Amino acid sequence: MNTNTHNPSPHLSLHRDPVDEMLKADAAEHRDAYIDDGGFTLRVIDALPPRPQGVSLAVRYGIPFGLAALAAIVVTFLTDGGSFFIDAAMDISTSTLTASSFGFLVMVGAMLVLAATVARDR
Amino acid sequence: MPSPAPAFSDNDLIGRVLLSDDRNAFAELVRRHQSALRASLRKMTHGNIELSDDIAQETFILAWKNIRSFRYEAKFSTWLYRIAFNAWQSEIRKKHELTMDDEQMPEPEPQAPESERTGVQRDLARAMVDLNDGERNAILQCYYNDLSHEEAAFVLGIPLGTVKTNILKAKEKMRARLTAYQTGQGVAA
């Protein structure tokens, strides 16, 4: 047994625990008995399937970033050269909740969540 | 025999597997841990070598498939024990379902030959017969796999307090059994 955790102060023990000692002795013998590989590793490696490939980082993060950039471009064109962003910034600076400021905050929030996800995964 | 001074740590090898699906690095991990894992499973399966090796192989294959979920919070060996324990549990469930379907009694588990056991080992094995699954699993993880209570709780998927209680109860039962053997009142196992 892992004595560091189970017996933090063995010297303070006033009486022996024969069951504990028997278990420790038997377990030590059990652990010392090395089982020869005997081709086991080779069998495991032969049986390994191709590991499922995770989606590459470029795809995983490129799609949401790309969509965000595309949305920003579309909004810029639809609002006469970005007046949406200017309106939203003005509304936020005056603490006024309008459709523009709300939409802007949602966009910023989504980008922050995405950035946090990237940071956690790295 | 295991190599005395590994050039790469387990984490280095895991890194290589993650980075480039390096099968040689994974093979080294298997070589390092196969003996301890197979020995642990032999203990769990009451010495059934064929079954324990099958579960050990399944454990390493699951580790390969799911290595991205290894978070370095536990040692690699502890993570393997957790996979192995879960694989063993599903094996028991499968066996139980088959038994229920066929209405057959389960086959007795093979035991290590009596001649290979010392008196103490025999007594311990007999004393462990009385333990329930939870108590037995806690003893196996904490003593035979040399895990801390916290690591055993992780492997078994149960609260830390339950592990501690199971260890205490198990030792109490075993103490009573062993005392009975010494005083000649042992019940035939």
Side-chain angles (χ1 to χ4, degrees):
Chain A
M1 188 163 75
N2 187 334
T3 50
N4 288 337
T5 307
H6 301 291
N7 265 334
S9 53
H11 301 296
L12 298 178
S13 179
L14 295 176
H15 51 84
R16 292 163 54 234
D17 178 353
V19 176
D20 189 63
E21 287 176 6
M22 285 168 79
L23 278 168
K24 279 180 181 168
D26 190 41
E29 198 176 313
H30 164 84
R31 284 194 301 274
D32 287 346
Y34 183 78
I35 298 177
D36 189 61
D37 188 277
F40 177 83
T41 298
L42 200 61
R43 282 198 300 281
V44 169
I45 298 301
D46 282 348
L48 290 183
R51 212 152 53 77
Q53 294 295 314
V55 180
S56 75
L57 286 183
V59 173
R60 194 168 171 186
Y61 304 129
I63 289 175
F65 272 119
L67 284 175
L70 185 67
I73 292 167
V74 169
V75 168
T76 304
F77 273 108
L78 289 180
T79 58
D80 294 331
S83 62
F84 164 80
F85 295 109
I86 297 164
D87 292 346
M90 296 279 282
D91 291 341
I92 289 169
S93 67
T94 56
S95 303
T96 310
L97 187 64
T98 60
S100 302
S101 61
F102 181 73
F104 187 76
L105 288 173
V106 168
M107 278 177 61
V108 170
M111 293 298 280
L112 286 174
V113 169
L114 190 58
T117 308
V118 173
R120 192 198 61 197
D121 285 2
R122 286 177 72 86
Chain B
M1 288 298 288
S3 53
F8 296 103
S9 71
D10 283 358
N11 287 351
D12 292 336
L13 294 169
I14 292 165
R16 284 170 58 178
V17 174
L18 285 172
L19 201 65
S20 55
D21 284 352
D22 188 338
R23 285 178 180 239
N24 290 330
F26 192 76
E28 178 58 26
L29 285 169
V30 176
R31 258 189 296 276
R32 273 185 200 178
H33 296 284
Q34 61 85 21
S35 173
L37 188 74
R38 289 163 78 194
S40 169
L41 281 162
R42 281 182 193 183
K43 197 83 187 166
M44 274 191 222
T45 59
H46 303 270
N48 187 331
I49 294 175
E50 197 181 336
L51 176 62
S52 60
D53 279 4
D54 282 350
I55 299 174
Q57 180 166 337
E58 192 187 332
T59 298
F60 282 113
I61 291 172
L62 284 169
W64 165 262
K65 285 181 182 171
N66 297 298
I67 203 157
R68 281 190 197 283
S69 65
F70 179 69
R71 294 287 177 196
Y72 301 95
E73 287 156 0
K75 283 187 283 186
F76 182 67
S77 56
T78 310
W79 189 62
L80 281 178
Y81 284 137
R82 183 183 167 100
I83 298 173
F85 178 73
N86 288 335
W88 165 232
Q89 290 301 298
S90 52
E91 185 62 34
I92 291 173
R93 277 193 295 272
K94 242 186 281 174
K95 225 176 193 176
H96 181 70
E97 281 166 17
L98 280 177
T99 308
M100 298 287 278
D101 287 347
D102 297 348
E103 293 183 0
Q104 290 172 344
M105 291 299 288
E107 287 178 23
E109 304 278 5
Q111 298 284 330
E114 284 288 306
S115 57
E116 290 179 14
R117 294 175 162 200
T118 64
V120 172
Q121 285 172 327
R122 247 195 320 269
D123 285 348
L124 272 177
R126 287 166 68 194
M128 284 179 81
V129 168
D130 275 349
L131 306 183
N132 64 35
D133 286 347
E135 293 160 353
R136 192 164 186 279
N137 289 333
I139 290 287
L140 288 180
Q141 299 300 335
C142 291
Y143 282 91
Y144 291 89
N145 290 350
D146 201 26
L147 302 182
S148 68
H149 287 154
E150 289 81 2
E151 288 170 324
F154 169 76
V155 168
L156 300 171
I158 56 175
L160 176 61
T162 309
V163 173
K164 290 179 178 175
T165 307
N166 282 341
I167 292 279
L168 283 175
K169 281 184 183 171
K171 282 160 71 172
E172 200 54 52
K173 281 185 186 175
M174 292 176 78
R175 192 171 295 118
R177 262 270 178 159
L178 291 165
T179 307
Y181 295 149
Q182 281 174 356
T183 54
Q185 297 166 358
V187 184

